[in-house]
Amino acid sequence: GTAANYVILAKNGISTGPDSSIIGDIGVSPAAGFNMIGFSFIEDASKEFSTSPLITGFAYAPTDNPSTPAKLTIAVSDMETAYTDASQRVDTQGSPLTGNIG
């Protein structure tokens, strides 16, 4: 789904430190863009996304250009669908990980 377009996709917020280096696009929704903390964003002239010295990619928020919130809503829905699917799968490979998703 469209969630795969983001290396970080969150519903509530994303924070970073000064030594971060993120390669790919990030997004947050339905929380507003100000819930992405520590990035020193520069808004693109199109107002569709922002850039940051810490990101090799773009940052998207529902407070961006009118087409961006709809795209993020779909991506978050796809993320939730993938999470639900993963949480219901049975480990048939003997994974060393234990515990439950969800």
Side-chain angles (χ1 to χ4, degrees):
T2 58
N5 296 332
Y6 301 89
V7 296
I8 301 173
L9 180 61
K11 291 174 68 174
N12 294 318
I14 302 168
S15 61
T16 190
D19 296 329
S20 295
S21 177
I22 299 169
I23 300 172
D25 294 343
I26 68 172
V28 62
S29 181
F34 63 78
N35 288 302
M36 291 189 281
I37 300 166
F39 290 96
S40 301
F41 286 123
I42 302 162
E43 187 175 57
D44 181 70
S46 70
K47 299 188 183 290
E48 189 172 334
F49 58 85
S50 295
T51 60
S52 166
L54 303 177
I55 303 171
T56 302
F58 304 117
Y60 296 92
T63 47
D64 292 337
N65 191 0
S67 65
T68 303
K71 292 175 186 175
L72 285 168
T73 298
I74 294 167
V76 167
S77 177
D78 289 348
M79 174 183 69
E80 291 171 331
T81 298
Y83 179 89
T84 299
D85 177 69
S87 71
Q88 296 171 357
R89 291 182 181 227
V90 176
D91 178 11
T92 60
Q93 302 299 314
S95 173
L97 302 177
T98 61
N100 294 322
I101 296 176

